[in-house]
Amino acid sequence: MFVFGTQYLRGATPERDQWERDLANIKEYGFNTVRAWLVWNAVEKAEGEIDYDYIASFLDCAKRNELEVGLLFHMHACPNWAIKKYSRYFYVDENSLPFEPAVRPNSPTGGWPGLCYDHPEVREMEKRFIEGVIAETKKHDCVSFYEPMNEPHQWVDYTKQPGGIFCYCDASVKRFQEWLREKYGDIGTLNAAWGHFYGSFDEIRPPRWTTSYADYADFRLFNMENVTREIRYRADIIRACDTKPVIAHAWGGGAVTCSQLGGMAFDDWKNAEVFDKWGYSAFPYKARDCASLGLGCDSTRCAANGKEYWQSELSAGLRGVGLDVSGRIDDKTFDKFSLESIRHGARGLLYWQYRKERFGAEWGGFALTDYDGGPTNLTRKASALCKAIKENEALFCEGTQGNAEVALVFSRRSYLAAWCSNAKKGNKFAVDSISGYYKMFWEENIH
């Protein structure tokens, strides 16, 4: 089956009395899949009390409308009871200040970024929650896949300039020291690489300002691998509970297009190894963005290394937040974005998203529908494309990519060097370099 669908449920949006109507419409438009967020603070409002009725009611509604469901565990939205009880597990910034969880665009119900998973106790909470949820979800045959984390990366505090990075808590520092000991073996080798004079690994503290290269690059490389370690931990829990595929996708075009890779710290290639299927999210707005969309697709396909890959979050075309929106894209551009993803080999396409958020910074933007959940030009175009794919499903599912004629080399260290050199602008030079080379070949349709 060619997966064609949309993001639908996230915390308090949409309201439960809208589910039946919306999912019936989604089915009528021709979609076969919806992606739903299991937001921690929406599902476990009191410690140890998982809202099974919320989960079962949604999945039963999807089943009635013959829709497959993918479920994301959004642990970045910490419940209020955990915020109050476990402040000792807050992330800690470069000034040694705890970061109290709060509202963010991807967590409109609050609790972002959650608790630092370098603490064993936090991991135990994650395990208990995931196991508890799957005890219910595995009863429902409409569940088709799980995601252990949305866009796996180390989060960044963008209220600071340059963006504040994490984490400096004792548990994270200890993990960093262990990583360095494994990498360098002895303290003399590390000192030679860094130009420092440590007497032992337990003296090392993570660097706190972007005024150096070797130590800062290692700190971010550690965080990249630490993110992979965390998603592997969660994926293993899911696989021990259910046999459904475990998938995930890279942030906004993947590592090669991320101008803040030094801060966000993620590695598509390492992360993709964890999953059965891999994808990425893309939020283009103008037709000229197709080249960067193609770059994201090709790098994602490369990271997937032969596994099936998806366009996991494709912008529905309404750009902006709140009242500051730029309007929907036209039909022709919408088709370009959808087909650009498919022509680069995507075996699934999910739009972000079906309904507008009711709360938070993303209120007013990013939706296939109007404010009441009614159809727009984008709903109709997506429906027409969906039906065309369904009529020619074998062609779309069995088609293969031609052999590449050119290879572009992505270097994490080059990106980190650019980021260390000018953190306020990030690694824009590195991104522009690979994007420029890619566009030359893209315009000539050279693989």
Side-chain angles (χ1 to χ4, degrees), residues 353-419:
Q353 59 180 344
Y354 186 72
R355 293 289 297 271
K356 296 176 185 293
E357 292 288 349
R358 298 169 57 222
F359 305 100
E362 289 187 6
W363 168 80
F366 307 113
L368 287 169
T369 63
D370 62 21
Y371 284 95
D372 191 43
T376 66
N377 69 305
L378 302 185
T379 322
R380 290 185 282 269
K381 288 303 296 181
S383 178
L385 178 60
C386 181
K387 290 171 182 175
I389 290 174
K390 192 172 294 185
E391 290 171 1
N392 302 276
E393 191 160 19
L395 179 66
F396 284 98
C397 289
E398 296 170 10
T400 58
Q401 295 294 112
N403 292 328
E405 300 173 58
V406 176
L408 299 178
V409 178
F410 165 67
S411 166
R412 295 180 303 167
R413 284 191 172 275
S414 292
Y415 273 52
L416 291 176
W419 180 79

Side-chain angles (χ1 to χ4, degrees), residues 114-331:
L115 305 175
C116 177
Y117 49 70
D118 284 329
H119 295 275
E121 297 85 354
V122 174
R123 288 209 160 174
E124 282 302 311
M125 279 187 271
E126 293 176 347
K127 184 173 186 290
R128 177 183 53 76
F129 177 73
I130 294 171
E131 289 177 340
V133 167
I134 296 181
E136 173 62 37
T137 60
K138 70 180 180 181
K139 302 174 186 175
H140 299 262
D141 58 9
C142 63
V143 175
S144 58
F145 63 86
Y146 293 99
E147 294 180 65
M149 185 186 291
N150 183 59
E151 301 176 340
H153 65 272
Q154 175 63 66
W155 66 276
V156 178
D157 180 9
Y158 280 120
T159 64
K160 296 182 178 179
Q161 190 59 252
I165 63 173
F166 293 83
C167 178
Y168 294 88
C169 73
D170 289 342
S172 295
V173 171
K174 182 179 179 181
R175 282 283 308 127
F176 182 46
Q177 292 169 345
E178 292 170 352
W179 184 86
L180 291 170
R181 184 179 287 108
E182 182 176 338
K183 177 176 181 177
Y184 288 103
D186 64 83
I187 199 65
T189 304
L190 178 140
N191 284 334
W194 284 15
H196 288 304
F197 304 98
Y198 291 110
S200 62
F201 284 99
D202 58 13
E203 292 178 359
I204 298 172
R205 308 292 295 177
R208 293 173 184 257
W209 298 278
T210 51
T211 55
S212 57
Y213 286 77
D215 52 355
Y216 231 115
D218 267 343
F219 184 43
R220 305 325 292 158
L221 290 170
F222 154 73
N223 274 277
M224 290 179 184
E225 295 186 17
N226 207 30
V227 168
T228 304
R229 174 176 171 265
E230 171 63 11
I231 56 178
R232 190 180 299 279
Y233 170 78
R234 297 186 192 180
D236 287 346
I237 297 171
I238 294 170
R239 289 184 173 118
C241 296
D242 203 346
T243 58
K244 303 293 193 310
V246 183
I247 76 171
H249 65 273
W251 171 92
V256 298
T257 63
C258 181
S259 63
Q260 285 293 337
L261 189 62
M264 295 177 72
F266 64 98
D267 185 326
D268 298 352
W269 282 259
K270 288 184 180 295
N271 289 347
E273 290 176 358
V274 176
F275 301 107
D276 301 303
K277 302 177 184 182
W278 183 241
Y280 86 108
S281 56
F283 289 82
Y285 186 64
K286 296 183 178 179
R288 66 170 180 263
D289 296 334
C290 276
S292 59
L293 182 61
L295 173 57
C297 288
D298 277 337
S299 64
T300 301
R301 181 168 53 85
C302 178
N305 195 26
K307 298 175 184 175
E308 182 177 299
Y309 96 91
W310 296 2
Q311 175 56 268
S312 303
E313 290 183 14
L314 182 61
S315 171
L318 185 62
R319 189 168 186 167
V321 295
L323 296 175
D324 185 19
V325 293
S326 304
R328 294 186 184 90
I329 59 175
D330 61 82
D331 292 359

